[in-house]
Each structure stands twice: as C-alpha cells, then as structure tokens.
Amino acid sequence: RGNRKGVIEANGQEILVGKALLVLAKKNKRPLQYEFQFHGNNGDWIIDLKISTLFDFLKDITFPFTKDVIVASWNYDGLNKDLPYVFAPVRYGLPMDTFQRISGGFVVNEITDYNMTPEYMKPSLSKYWLIYRAFKSLGYQIKSDFFDTPYFRRQVMPWTWGNFQSASDTAIDNLKFKAIGLGEVSMDDVSFTGIWDLNVSNDSVNGGFDNHNTYQYDPVAFEMKWTYPTATVFNYGRLEATFHFGAFVDAVATSNSNVELRIQWFKNGGKVGHGSDNGNGTLLVDLRPKLIDRKQFAGPLNDWATFTVVPGDIISAKVYLYMHHSGTGIDHIHVTVDAFELDFFRIPIGGTINFANYTGFKKYKFLDFFAGVIDEFNLVFQTDTTNKIVYIEPQHPYSLVDDQSTKTGGYYNGHFLDWSSKQDISKDSEMELFSDGDRDMRFAYKDDSNDGTLKKVQDRSIARLAMAKYVLPERFKRNPDDDPTKPTIENRFFAPLMHMDVVQWKGLTGDPAIMPQMPVMIPENISNTSASEAQNTFEPKSAYYKGIQSGWGWVFDGEVRNGFPYMFAVNYRQGGENDPILSYADEVITYNDDGTPKVTGKGLMRRFYHQRLAIIANGQYYTTYFHLNNNDISNILHREHIICEGQKWELAEIKNFNPLKEESTEVLLKKWSPIKSL
C-alpha cells in the first residue's frame, strides 16, 4: 500500500536503487506476477520530500531575540550551520522609528523614518542550510562545488512569511481566547460604587472560544482572568501580550445624577495603570450633568492593554462602576460585553524566537522552494542512492563574475565517453532540427501582487522587471497569441526583490555623496499599512548577504554606525557587476553614488543559461541506437559528454533498456554547440 526500498539487479550487478510501488498483482492458485513502478536515483528522495514543508526543516531553530544576537548575526557567511539566518536591514511598509537630535540637553529636531530599532529587524533565512537540513533528514549528503562557493552560501531569503514578532498564524495561538457576555446587564436609578458583575462567564457562545482553558471568570470578585500556562505545557517564553475589552454601552444621567464606568487591569493581582488612567482604570463613560442638564452616551467602547508576560503570569480585568442617584434625576446604564480577549502577541526584545511556533511555514512545500533555486541557476542534480549522495551543479560551466571569458565547474565534468563503436548501424537513426516552442524565450521571477513597490515600478515602466529574453533562430515560430510580458520560463518560487536608496542616511559617514542601498517591501494595498500581518507577507524573495559594508553610515537603535550589514538581489553600487546579480536580466551598475552609469552587469540568464540556450538554438537532436551494457547504465551520474560520429553530444534520454536481452537501446542525444556571443 506504500513504497518500499528496492534494488534492480541484472547478472549480479546493481542497475537501479530506489523505491518500488506495487501497482498490479496476478494470481491463480498461486502468485504469478507483480508489476511495480520503480523510482530510482532522484526519485528516491523526491518521493520522501513530496509532502514536506519548510516548517519541517526550520522548526528546530530557536534563539533569544536580543540586540546582541542581531548584531552577532551580521557575521553570517553561510559556513556555520548554527547560524542559518542574518538580521540584515530591510525597509517594510511601516516607517522606521523617529530619531531625536539632542543639543545642549534639548531635542532640537525629530527625524521620522530614521532609526532602525532591533524590533523592526527580521531574519533572512539561509538557502543552503535549508537544503542541507532537508537532505540530511533522509540521510543524504550534498556534494556541490557550486553550493560551496560564497556566491551561494551567502544567499538568503528575506523575511516575507508574515509578521515576525506577532505572527497571526503561529502555535502561540494556543494561548488565545475570546469571552463574551451572556447578555445585557443594567443598573437603573440607584447609587452604587464598586466592581460590577458583567457576567462574562461563558466563553463559548456567540463566537467565543478558549483554545486551551486559559480563561476564567471569578463570580465572586467579578474578575475576567487569563492565565499563561507553565512552560511544561507551552514553552513560548517571554511574550508581549495585548488584551482587548469591547462592549456596547447605553448610559444616561440627568439632574446631578452621575454615571462613571472604568476598566481596571491587573497583573498577578496587582493593579496596573496604562495610558492616562493614573492607576484608577481606563475611563470609558463619564456622565456628570448639572441640575438641569442631561448627559447621554450610546455606542461601542474599546480598551487595549499590553503586558510583558512569562509562563505562570495572570492578567485580569475588572469593571468599576460609580453611580450617584440624585433623587431628582435619573441614572441608567446598560452594558453588553462584546469581547474580552487576547488580541495579539509580540515577541519582545529579550523573548525567545522558536520557529516551531511559526506554523505558517507549513504553507510552503520544500520541493517548490528547491525548484525555485533550480530555476535560478539552471541546476542539474543526480543521486547516488547507494552511497546516499546528491550531486548538484549548474548544468554547464559558469563564471560567477562579470567576465564570462573563463568558466569552470558545471554538472558536465569535461570528460568524454566514446560510444561510436557501440552504435547499432543496422537500425535507422533520426536527426531532428528542433524547432518547437516560442522563438522568444523569456526568463523571469514570478510576480508578487502584494509588493506595491514592484507593482508601481512595473506599471510605470510597462515592463516585467528582472526578465531576460533570448531570441532563437527564425525556424522557431512566435505564437501569435503570445503575451510579450509573460515569461516562457517563470521561477517556481521566488519573486523579484526591490531596492531603495536610504536618502535620510546620506552623508552620515562624512562623505555627502554616500548613502546605503537597502531592500524594500511595501504592501500594494496602502490601506493595510496599519495591519501588522500585511506589512510582512509577500512572495518569497532571493537575496545575497555581502557582510558589513564599511564606509556606509546608518542608524541602529538610536546609534549612528559606520558599517552597514548589506543585503541585496542586485548591488547597484560600484563593483556590483562582480557580485551575484539575482535578476535574469542584465542590470545597469552605477560607478558612484551620484548615479553615474558605468557598466552593465550580467544576470542569471547570461551567467547560467547561455550555453543551454546555444544548444537549443543549434537544435540538433539525434535519436539513435547503442549496444549498452550494465556498466553504461549503472553510471548513474552521466556527467560525461558522449562522442558519436566524431561529434560531441549531451545524453538526454535512455529509453527502455532491457538488461536481460542482447538488443540495442534507443538513446536521445543533443548536439553540443558553442556560445556564439557574450
């Protein structure tokens, strides 16, 4: 009913190792025949990872959320498995904090969107260590010269997964509750001073809930109470919890009668003041008419209170009512409690980050992420299931700098297998001049409808940002219905990352021309900028962390610093052409911070896809037959080129090899062709 480990052997030699799935069995009085689907090589781990999510390989990451940890992460180089993240600055939808300039002990001016506090920063996650963790979970190791370069090890994914400190889709939701009043309560024409029984005792009516019995109503003290369970129940550590009280109130007072309503907050039994309540509670209703006056209020009332809590803490609230009946007037109040609830959490500085609480990562399949990485760098992978090694490299030799004249690496290792003598010339061979597909091949990252910065620039330029186009020869036909803005090959996981010049930090190092470049992600729907979740939910992005950029000034936690933790998809500053350019298109790199154009840096298409496109453009596909043996097939990596008829070919497909019959096997080859221009 499930897959089982399997090995195919012929004449005592292993041909394929992987997983077998039974699909058919025949019998009469005894079993006759079994038919399997056999998935070897890459299929062995693809099957196991098919339902795995990013959550499965991130959930064991935990660290204290402190300024020291943030600063220490700036040493990230991708080589330390215990540091799979970096807190590099990113400008999200909400502005940064205000910065005060002080002179002579006085505030001389305040600058908005200027001070990047530790609370504003969010971790960018390592691509390499996520892949490493996934394969390690299956007992596989990765062998890749490309993955071991700083070019790849320093690549990260900026935080796009929802609100970091107060994620709404987390395991911490176990602590949430919502209590609702059983009905309207009233006081009419009486004098009363004290805590009022609002009867908020049932948390399961009209939409109320209590996820893990954290709420209680004390019918004696008339107290609404929440208890943070001990760490043995939920280990979430130090949290910043915001509670909400909401009610509909209808009150009236006339002729010297008074009505006053307050909500009082308590932590572990002690009264806690917040805002301007002076410790007496938040004033919700205050009706004090003169002798011939009438005061009235009718409508909803709300109050929020925020507390730093640790396991074992108790947060509670009581409603204080003062009514004075003058004898000549009236004093009425009617209240219906709509909600007493835990509204949201934040992980404060000093709290604990535990990725096991970020259940939103379960929405992202690991294989989708891995496919996105493959699409960026034209990766080819093959698996040695016997030795549990996965080989991963870009398909062809590459250069990681702007100069493409010298290339190294690649999945094809530069060796050759001469199969000329194996060719079965008794069978017809077929040479096809490949011409299928669109003439214009376009490579692009996926679109991100949540990214307002991306949308604004694309609409202004009427172009798909980061998209590259390669035009094939005229024998390839253009689809007349083709949309020129729609890519032929779209990245299956990542969207483009936008950048901004941080103008407000210009000249902080003394050089008036120098200002940092920083990634920027702002929600497309500006009305959502007050919603914390919308600020940080985007399509995943791809970036490179270069390290501390000396000479660039910025403001961190109220301190002007020289040395900026620099992360980007494209470094538009001087020398950026030799850094990773995570754009399929070539990018214009400026020489100075004044925007003077200097060079055009080569993007992903030109660095990693050019050789593949040259082979497609040449288009010679050769179907022929070879007398192959078990050794030819058990060379599962196939990293060599094939020599046939004095030509150099890439092996594309071996069809229907039968190890038990002396017959030739159909093979599809692609003619290698040099790149004609850079």
Side-chain angles (χ1 to χ4, degrees), residues 31 157 159 217 221 231 275 294 313 320 353 458 469 500 509 591 605 607 610:
M157 296 180 289
W159 190 269
Y217 185 75
R294 175 186 179 92
D313 281 346
Y320 168 87
I353 300 299
Q458 287 192 150
K469 183 171 75 171
M500 64 177 287
T509 58
Y591 181 70
M605 189 272 282
R607 292 193 187 189
H610 219 182

mmCIF file with all atom_site columns, all heavy atoms in Angstrom, residues 31 157 159 217 221 231 275 294 313 320 353 458 469 500 509 591 605 607 610:
data_model
loop_
_atom_site.group_PDB
_atom_site.id
_atom_site.type_symbol
_atom_site.label_atom_id
_atom_site.label_alt_id
_atom_site.label_comp_id
_atom_site.label_asym_id
_atom_site.label_entity_id
_atom_site.label_seq_id
_atom_site.pdbx_PDB_ins_code
_atom_site.Cartn_x
_atom_site.Cartn_y
_atom_site.Cartn_z
_atom_site.occupancy
_atom_site.B_iso_or_equiv
_atom_site.pdbx_formal_charge
_atom_site.auth_seq_id
_atom_site.auth_comp_id
_atom_site.auth_asym_id
_atom_site.auth_atom_id
_atom_site.pdbx_PDB_model_num
ATOM 1   N N   . PRO A 1 31  ? 0.644   -16.923 -6.551  1.00 0.00 ? 31  PRO A N   1
ATOM 2   C CA  . PRO A 1 31  ? 1.064   -15.663 -7.178  1.00 0.00 ? 31  PRO A CA  1
ATOM 3   C C   . PRO A 1 31  ? 1.802   -15.926 -8.487  1.00 0.00 ? 31  PRO A C   1
ATOM 4   O O   . PRO A 1 31  ? 2.640   -16.827 -8.583  1.00 0.00 ? 31  PRO A O   1
ATOM 5   C CB  . PRO A 1 31  ? 1.997   -15.039 -6.138  1.00 0.00 ? 31  PRO A CB  1
ATOM 6   C CG  . PRO A 1 31  ? 1.622   -15.697 -4.850  1.00 0.00 ? 31  PRO A CG  1
ATOM 7   C CD  . PRO A 1 31  ? 1.208   -17.092 -5.213  1.00 0.00 ? 31  PRO A CD  1
ATOM 8   N N   . MET A 1 157 ? 16.946  34.265  2.098   1.00 0.00 ? 157 MET A N   1
ATOM 9   C CA  . MET A 1 157 ? 15.584  34.685  1.767   1.00 0.00 ? 157 MET A CA  1
ATOM 10  C C   . MET A 1 157 ? 15.134  35.709  2.804   1.00 0.00 ? 157 MET A C   1
ATOM 11  O O   . MET A 1 157 ? 14.961  35.355  3.978   1.00 0.00 ? 157 MET A O   1
ATOM 12  C CB  . MET A 1 157 ? 14.646  33.479  1.760   1.00 0.00 ? 157 MET A CB  1
ATOM 13  C CG  . MET A 1 157 ? 14.980  32.457  0.699   1.00 0.00 ? 157 MET A CG  1
ATOM 14  S SD  . MET A 1 157 ? 13.829  31.040  0.740   1.00 0.00 ? 157 MET A SD  1
ATOM 15  C CE  . MET A 1 157 ? 14.349  30.229  2.257   1.00 0.00 ? 157 MET A CE  1
ATOM 16  N N   . TRP A 1 159 ? 12.793  38.059  5.104   1.00 0.00 ? 159 TRP A N   1
ATOM 17  C CA  . TRP A 1 159 ? 11.552  37.672  5.777   1.00 0.00 ? 159 TRP A CA  1
ATOM 18  C C   . TRP A 1 159 ? 10.344  38.175  4.999   1.00 0.00 ? 159 TRP A C   1
ATOM 19  O O   . TRP A 1 159 ? 10.127  39.368  4.860   1.00 0.00 ? 159 TRP A O   1
ATOM 20  C CB  . TRP A 1 159 ? 11.528  38.235  7.194   1.00 0.00 ? 159 TRP A CB  1
ATOM 21  C CG  . TRP A 1 159 ? 10.389  37.667  7.985   1.00 0.00 ? 159 TRP A CG  1
ATOM 22  C CD1 . TRP A 1 159 ? 9.132   38.193  8.100   1.00 0.00 ? 159 TRP A CD1 1
ATOM 23  C CD2 . TRP A 1 159 ? 10.374  36.449  8.723   1.00 0.00 ? 159 TRP A CD2 1
ATOM 24  N NE1 . TRP A 1 159 ? 8.337   37.370  8.876   1.00 0.00 ? 159 TRP A NE1 1
ATOM 25  C CE2 . TRP A 1 159 ? 9.079   36.295  9.271   1.00 0.00 ? 159 TRP A CE2 1
ATOM 26  C CE3 . TRP A 1 159 ? 11.330  35.468  8.982   1.00 0.00 ? 159 TRP A CE3 1
ATOM 27  C CZ2 . TRP A 1 159 ? 8.727   35.196  10.064  1.00 0.00 ? 159 TRP A CZ2 1
ATOM 28  C CZ3 . TRP A 1 159 ? 10.976  34.380  9.767   1.00 0.00 ? 159 TRP A CZ3 1
ATOM 29  C CH2 . TRP A 1 159 ? 9.693   34.257  10.300  1.00 0.00 ? 159 TRP A CH2 1
ATOM 30  N N   . TYR A 1 217 ? -13.750 33.187  34.692  1.00 0.00 ? 217 TYR A N   1
ATOM 31  C CA  . TYR A 1 217 ? -14.468 34.324  35.253  1.00 0.00 ? 217 TYR A CA  1
ATOM 32  C C   . TYR A 1 217 ? -14.710 34.033  36.724  1.00 0.00 ? 217 TYR A C   1
ATOM 33  O O   . TYR A 1 217 ? -15.282 32.991  37.080  1.00 0.00 ? 217 TYR A O   1
ATOM 34  C CB  . TYR A 1 217 ? -15.798 34.547  34.537  1.00 0.00 ? 217 TYR A CB  1
ATOM 35  C CG  . TYR A 1 217 ? -16.518 35.796  35.008  1.00 0.00 ? 217 TYR A CG  1
ATOM 36  C CD1 . TYR A 1 217 ? -16.084 37.048  34.606  1.00 0.00 ? 217 TYR A CD1 1
ATOM 37  C CD2 . TYR A 1 217 ? -17.616 35.714  35.868  1.00 0.00 ? 217 TYR A CD2 1
ATOM 38  C CE1 . TYR A 1 217 ? -16.727 38.201  35.034  1.00 0.00 ? 217 TYR A CE1 1
ATOM 39  C CE2 . TYR A 1 217 ? -18.265 36.860  36.299  1.00 0.00 ? 217 TYR A CE2 1
ATOM 40  C CZ  . TYR A 1 217 ? -17.816 38.100  35.879  1.00 0.00 ? 217 TYR A CZ  1
ATOM 41  O OH  . TYR A 1 217 ? -18.446 39.237  36.303  1.00 0.00 ? 217 TYR A OH  1
ATOM 42  N N   . ALA A 1 221 ? -15.292 37.780  42.737  1.00 0.00 ? 221 ALA A N   1
ATOM 43  C CA  . ALA A 1 221 ? -14.568 39.045  42.566  1.00 0.00 ? 221 ALA A CA  1
ATOM 44  C C   . ALA A 1 221 ? -14.979 39.769  41.297  1.00 0.00 ? 221 ALA A C   1
ATOM 45  O O   . ALA A 1 221 ? -14.508 40.882  41.035  1.00 0.00 ? 221 ALA A O   1
ATOM 46  C CB  . ALA A 1 221 ? -13.062 38.776  42.536  1.00 0.00 ? 221 ALA A CB  1
ATOM 47  N N   . ALA A 1 231 ? 5.576   26.578  31.574  1.00 0.00 ? 231 ALA A N   1
ATOM 48  C CA  . ALA A 1 231 ? 6.405   26.178  30.438  1.00 0.00 ? 231 ALA A CA  1
ATOM 49  C C   . ALA A 1 231 ? 6.308   24.692  30.138  1.00 0.00 ? 231 ALA A C   1
ATOM 50  O O   . ALA A 1 231 ? 6.632   24.255  29.032  1.00 0.00 ? 231 ALA A O   1
ATOM 51  C CB  . ALA A 1 231 ? 7.860   26.573  30.698  1.00 0.00 ? 231 ALA A CB  1
ATOM 52  N N   . GLY A 1 275 ? -1.567  54.071  29.880  1.00 0.00 ? 275 GLY A N   1
ATOM 53  C CA  . GLY A 1 275 ? -2.085  55.275  29.242  1.00 0.00 ? 275 GLY A CA  1
ATOM 54  C C   . GLY A 1 275 ? -2.211  56.394  30.252  1.00 0.00 ? 275 GLY A C   1
ATOM 55  O O   . GLY A 1 275 ? -1.293  56.694  31.005  1.00 0.00 ? 275 GLY A O   1
ATOM 56  N N   . ARG A 1 294 ? -28.698 67.168  30.869  1.00 0.00 ? 294 ARG A N   1
ATOM 57  C CA  . ARG A 1 294 ? -28.844 65.745  30.538  1.00 0.00 ? 294 ARG A CA  1
ATOM 58  C C   . ARG A 1 294 ? -27.600 65.314  29.768  1.00 0.00 ? 294 ARG A C   1
ATOM 59  O O   . ARG A 1 294 ? -27.230 65.933  28.775  1.00 0.00 ? 294 ARG A O   1
ATOM 60  C CB  . ARG A 1 294 ? -30.098 65.521  29.690  1.00 0.00 ? 294 ARG A CB  1
ATOM 61  C CG  . ARG A 1 294 ? -30.276 64.073  29.194  1.00 0.00 ? 294 ARG A CG  1
ATOM 62  C CD  . ARG A 1 294 ? -31.454 63.978  28.238  1.00 0.00 ? 294 ARG A CD  1
ATOM 63  N NE  . ARG A 1 294 ? -31.618 62.613  27.736  1.00 0.00 ? 294 ARG A NE  1
ATOM 64  C CZ  . ARG A 1 294 ? -32.400 61.700  28.290  1.00 0.00 ? 294 ARG A CZ  1
ATOM 65  N NH1 . ARG A 1 294 ? -33.108 62.018  29.392  1.00 0.00 ? 294 ARG A NH1 1
ATOM 66  N NH2 . ARG A 1 294 ? -32.514 60.484  27.775  1.00 0.00 ? 294 ARG A NH2 1
ATOM 67  N N   . ASP A 1 313 ? 2.163   33.827  34.655  1.00 0.00 ? 313 ASP A N   1
ATOM 68  C CA  . ASP A 1 313 ? 1.553   35.131  34.912  1.00 0.00 ? 313 ASP A CA  1
ATOM 69  C C   . ASP A 1 313 ? 0.039   35.085  34.713  1.00 0.00 ? 313 ASP A C   1
ATOM 70  O O   . ASP A 1 313 ? -0.485  34.311  33.897  1.00 0.00 ? 313 ASP A O   1
ATOM 71  C CB  . ASP A 1 313 ? 2.145   36.198  33.984  1.00 0.00 ? 313 ASP A CB  1
ATOM 72  C CG  . ASP A 1 313 ? 3.508   36.691  34.460  1.00 0.00 ? 313 ASP A CG  1
ATOM 73  O OD1 . ASP A 1 313 ? 3.862   36.412  35.622  1.00 0.00 ? 313 ASP A OD1 1
ATOM 74  O OD2 . ASP A 1 313 ? 4.207   37.357  33.668  1.00 0.00 ? 313 ASP A OD2 1
ATOM 75  N N   . TYR A 1 320 ? -15.197 48.777  36.916  1.00 0.00 ? 320 TYR A N   1
ATOM 76  C CA  . TYR A 1 320 ? -15.588 49.608  38.062  1.00 0.00 ? 320 TYR A CA  1
ATOM 77  C C   . TYR A 1 320 ? -16.725 50.536  37.633  1.00 0.00 ? 320 TYR A C   1
ATOM 78  O O   . TYR A 1 320 ? -16.657 51.183  36.575  1.00 0.00 ? 320 TYR A O   1
ATOM 79  C CB  . TYR A 1 320 ? -14.393 50.428  38.529  1.00 0.00 ? 320 TYR A CB  1
ATOM 80  C CG  . TYR A 1 320 ? -14.712 51.522  39.516  1.00 0.00 ? 320 TYR A CG  1
ATOM 81  C CD1 . TYR A 1 320 ? -14.756 51.262  40.887  1.00 0.00 ? 320 TYR A CD1 1
ATOM 82  C CD2 . TYR A 1 320 ? -14.975 52.824  39.074  1.00 0.00 ? 320 TYR A CD2 1
ATOM 83  C CE1 . TYR A 1 320 ? -15.050 52.268  41.793  1.00 0.00 ? 320 TYR A CE1 1
ATOM 84  C CE2 . TYR A 1 320 ? -15.269 53.843  39.974  1.00 0.00 ? 320 TYR A CE2 1
ATOM 85  C CZ  . TYR A 1 320 ? -15.306 53.556  41.336  1.00 0.00 ? 320 TYR A CZ  1
ATOM 86  O OH  . TYR A 1 320 ? -15.592 54.557  42.230  1.00 0.00 ? 320 TYR A OH  1
ATOM 87  N N   . ILE A 1 353 ? 12.792  33.367  20.188  1.00 0.00 ? 353 ILE A N   1
ATOM 88  C CA  . ILE A 1 353 ? 12.297  33.011  18.855  1.00 0.00 ? 353 ILE A CA  1
ATOM 89  C C   . ILE A 1 353 ? 12.378  31.501  18.718  1.00 0.00 ? 353 ILE A C   1
ATOM 90  O O   . ILE A 1 353 ? 13.456  30.912  18.858  1.00 0.00 ? 353 ILE A O   1
ATOM 91  C CB  . ILE A 1 353 ? 13.128  33.687  17.751  1.00 0.00 ? 353 ILE A CB  1
ATOM 92  C CG1 . ILE A 1 353 ? 13.063  35.210  17.885  1.00 0.00 ? 353 ILE A CG1 1
ATOM 93  C CG2 . ILE A 1 353 ? 12.642  33.241  16.377  1.00 0.00 ? 353 ILE A CG2 1
ATOM 94  C CD1 . ILE A 1 353 ? 11.682  35.791  17.758  1.00 0.00 ? 353 ILE A CD1 1
ATOM 95  N N   . GLN A 1 458 ? 6.799   48.524  -12.120 1.00 0.00 ? 458 GLN A N   1
ATOM 96  C CA  . GLN A 1 458 ? 6.448   47.794  -13.342 1.00 0.00 ? 458 GLN A CA  1
ATOM 97  C C   . GLN A 1 458 ? 5.372   48.531  -14.131 1.00 0.00 ? 458 GLN A C   1
ATOM 98  O O   . GLN A 1 458 ? 5.440   48.595  -15.368 1.00 0.00 ? 458 GLN A O   1
ATOM 99  C CB  . GLN A 1 458 ? 5.977   46.378  -12.996 1.00 0.00 ? 458 GLN A CB  1
ATOM 100 C CG  . GLN A 1 458 ? 7.105   45.468  -12.556 1.00 0.00 ? 458 GLN A CG  1
ATOM 101 C CD  . GLN A 1 458 ? 6.717   44.005  -12.494 1.00 0.00 ? 458 GLN A CD  1
ATOM 102 O OE1 . GLN A 1 458 ? 7.530   43.132  -12.703 1.00 0.00 ? 458 GLN A OE1 1
ATOM 103 N NE2 . GLN A 1 458 ? 5.460   43.732  -12.196 1.00 0.00 ? 458 GLN A NE2 1
ATOM 104 N N   . LYS A 1 469 ? 15.333  38.121  -22.146 1.00 0.00 ? 469 LYS A N   1
ATOM 105 C CA  . LYS A 1 469 ? 14.804  37.500  -23.367 1.00 0.00 ? 469 LYS A CA  1
ATOM 106 C C   . LYS A 1 469 ? 15.945  36.999  -24.231 1.00 0.00 ? 469 LYS A C   1
ATOM 107 O O   . LYS A 1 469 ? 16.963  37.672  -24.403 1.00 0.00 ? 469 LYS A O   1
ATOM 108 C CB  . LYS A 1 469 ? 13.951  38.497  -24.146 1.00 0.00 ? 469 LYS A CB  1
ATOM 109 C CG  . LYS A 1 469 ? 13.316  37.891  -25.405 1.00 0.00 ? 469 LYS A CG  1
ATOM 110 C CD  . LYS A 1 469 ? 12.314  38.841  -26.039 1.00 0.00 ? 469 LYS A CD  1
ATOM 111 C CE  . LYS A 1 469 ? 12.988  39.984  -26.764 1.00 0.00 ? 469 LYS A CE  1
ATOM 112 N NZ  . LYS A 1 469 ? 12.036  40.784  -27.549 1.00 0.00 ? 469 LYS A NZ  1
ATOM 113 N N   . MET A 1 500 ? 15.966  50.362  -2.461  1.00 0.00 ? 500 MET A N   1
ATOM 114 C CA  . MET A 1 500 ? 15.820  51.810  -2.332  1.00 0.00 ? 500 MET A CA  1
ATOM 115 C C   . MET A 1 500 ? 17.145  52.406  -1.867  1.00 0.00 ? 500 MET A C   1
ATOM 116 O O   . MET A 1 500 ? 17.951  51.741  -1.206  1.00 0.00 ? 500 MET A O   1
ATOM 117 C CB  . MET A 1 500 ? 14.726  52.161  -1.326  1.00 0.00 ? 500 MET A CB  1
ATOM 118 C CG  . MET A 1 500 ? 15.014  51.708  0.098   1.00 0.00 ? 500 MET A CG  1
ATOM 119 S SD  . MET A 1 500 ? 13.754  52.192  1.313   1.00 0.00 ? 500 MET A SD  1
ATOM 120 C CE  . MET A 1 500 ? 14.094  53.938  1.451   1.00 0.00 ? 500 MET A CE  1
ATOM 121 N N   . THR A 1 509 ? 28.567  59.244  7.066   1.00 0.00 ? 509 THR A N   1
ATOM 122 C CA  . THR A 1 509 ? 29.983  58.933  7.281   1.00 0.00 ? 509 THR A CA  1
ATOM 123 C C   . THR A 1 509 ? 30.876  60.144  7.043   1.00 0.00 ? 509 THR A C   1
ATOM 124 O O   . THR A 1 509 ? 32.085  60.049  7.172   1.00 0.00 ? 509 THR A O   1
ATOM 125 C CB  . THR A 1 509 ? 30.424  57.810  6.335   1.00 0.00 ? 509 THR A CB  1
ATOM 126 O OG1 . THR A 1 509 ? 30.195  58.227  4.976   1.00 0.00 ? 509 THR A OG1 1
ATOM 127 C CG2 . THR A 1 509 ? 29.656  56.539  6.597   1.00 0.00 ? 509 THR A CG2 1
ATOM 128 N N   . TYR A 1 591 ? 28.608  53.731  -11.174 1.00 0.00 ? 591 TYR A N   1
ATOM 129 C CA  . TYR A 1 591 ? 30.003  53.868  -10.759 1.00 0.00 ? 591 TYR A CA  1
ATOM 130 C C   . TYR A 1 591 ? 30.104  54.569  -9.416  1.00 0.00 ? 591 TYR A C   1
ATOM 131 O O   . TYR A 1 591 ? 30.872  54.181  -8.548  1.00 0.00 ? 591 TYR A O   1
ATOM 132 C CB  . TYR A 1 591 ? 30.776  54.649  -11.822 1.00 0.00 ? 591 TYR A CB  1
ATOM 133 C CG  . TYR A 1 591 ? 32.245  54.818  -11.501 1.00 0.00 ? 591 TYR A CG  1
ATOM 134 C CD1 . TYR A 1 591 ? 33.103  53.739  -11.546 1.00 0.00 ? 591 TYR A CD1 1
ATOM 135 C CD2 . TYR A 1 591 ? 32.756  56.060  -11.146 1.00 0.00 ? 591 TYR A CD2 1
ATOM 136 C CE1 . TYR A 1 591 ? 34.443  53.883  -11.246 1.00 0.00 ? 591 TYR A CE1 1
ATOM 137 C CE2 . TYR A 1 591 ? 34.098  56.218  -10.840 1.00 0.00 ? 591 TYR A CE2 1
ATOM 138 C CZ  . TYR A 1 591 ? 34.939  55.125  -10.893 1.00 0.00 ? 591 TYR A CZ  1
ATOM 139 O OH  . TYR A 1 591 ? 36.268  55.279  -10.589 1.00 0.00 ? 591 TYR A OH  1
ATOM 140 N N   . MET A 1 605 ? 20.423  34.765  -16.623 1.00 0.00 ? 605 MET A N   1
ATOM 141 C CA  . MET A 1 605 ? 20.283  34.129  -17.925 1.00 0.00 ? 605 MET A CA  1
ATOM 142 C C   . MET A 1 605 ? 21.629  34.031  -18.626 1.00 0.00 ? 605 MET A C   1
ATOM 143 O O   . MET A 1 605 ? 22.008  32.994  -19.153 1.00 0.00 ? 605 MET A O   1
ATOM 144 C CB  . MET A 1 605 ? 19.277  34.907  -18.785 1.00 0.00 ? 605 MET A CB  1
ATOM 145 C CG  . MET A 1 605 ? 18.888  34.199  -20.082 1.00 0.00 ? 605 MET A CG  1
ATOM 146 S SD  . MET A 1 605 ? 19.989  34.558  -21.459 1.00 0.00 ? 605 MET A SD  1
ATOM 147 C CE  . MET A 1 605 ? 19.411  36.180  -21.912 1.00 0.00 ? 605 MET A CE  1
ATOM 148 N N   . ARG A 1 607 ? 24.646  34.264  -17.233 1.00 0.00 ? 607 ARG A N   1
ATOM 149 C CA  . ARG A 1 607 ? 25.666  33.534  -16.476 1.00 0.00 ? 607 ARG A CA  1
ATOM 150 C C   . ARG A 1 607 ? 25.427  32.027  -16.437 1.00 0.00 ? 607 ARG A C   1
ATOM 151 O O   . ARG A 1 607 ? 26.379  31.248  -16.409 1.00 0.00 ? 607 ARG A O   1
ATOM 152 C CB  . ARG A 1 607 ? 25.725  34.058  -15.036 1.00 0.00 ? 607 ARG A CB  1
ATOM 153 C CG  . ARG A 1 607 ? 26.259  35.483  -14.917 1.00 0.00 ? 607 ARG A CG  1
ATOM 154 C CD  . ARG A 1 607 ? 26.597  35.827  -13.479 1.00 0.00 ? 607 ARG A CD  1
ATOM 155 N NE  . ARG A 1 607 ? 26.943  37.242  -13.329 1.00 0.00 ? 607 ARG A NE  1
ATOM 156 C CZ  . ARG A 1 607 ? 27.450  37.780  -12.225 1.00 0.00 ? 607 ARG A CZ  1
ATOM 157 N NH1 . ARG A 1 607 ? 27.679  37.023  -11.176 1.00 0.00 ? 607 ARG A NH1 1
ATOM 158 N NH2 . ARG A 1 607 ? 27.718  39.072  -12.166 1.00 0.00 ? 607 ARG A NH2 1
ATOM 159 N N   . HIS A 1 610 ? 23.167  30.546  -20.778 1.00 0.00 ? 610 HIS A N   1
ATOM 160 C CA  . HIS A 1 610 ? 23.592  30.872  -22.132 1.00 0.00 ? 610 HIS A CA  1
ATOM 161 C C   . HIS A 1 610 ? 23.997  29.632  -22.925 1.00 0.00 ? 610 HIS A C   1
ATOM 162 O O   . HIS A 1 610 ? 23.647  29.487  -24.107 1.00 0.00 ? 610 HIS A O   1
ATOM 163 C CB  . HIS A 1 610 ? 24.740  31.880  -22.083 1.00 0.00 ? 610 HIS A CB  1
ATOM 164 C CG  . HIS A 1 610 ? 24.652  32.924  -23.148 1.00 0.00 ? 610 HIS A CG  1
ATOM 165 N ND1 . HIS A 1 610 ? 25.589  33.902  -23.327 1.00 0.00 ? 610 HIS A ND1 1
ATOM 166 C CD2 . HIS A 1 610 ? 23.719  33.139  -24.125 1.00 0.00 ? 610 HIS A CD2 1
ATOM 167 C CE1 . HIS A 1 610 ? 25.247  34.671  -24.340 1.00 0.00 ? 610 HIS A CE1 1
ATOM 168 N NE2 . HIS A 1 610 ? 24.123  34.232  -24.836 1.00 0.00 ? 610 HIS A NE2 1
#
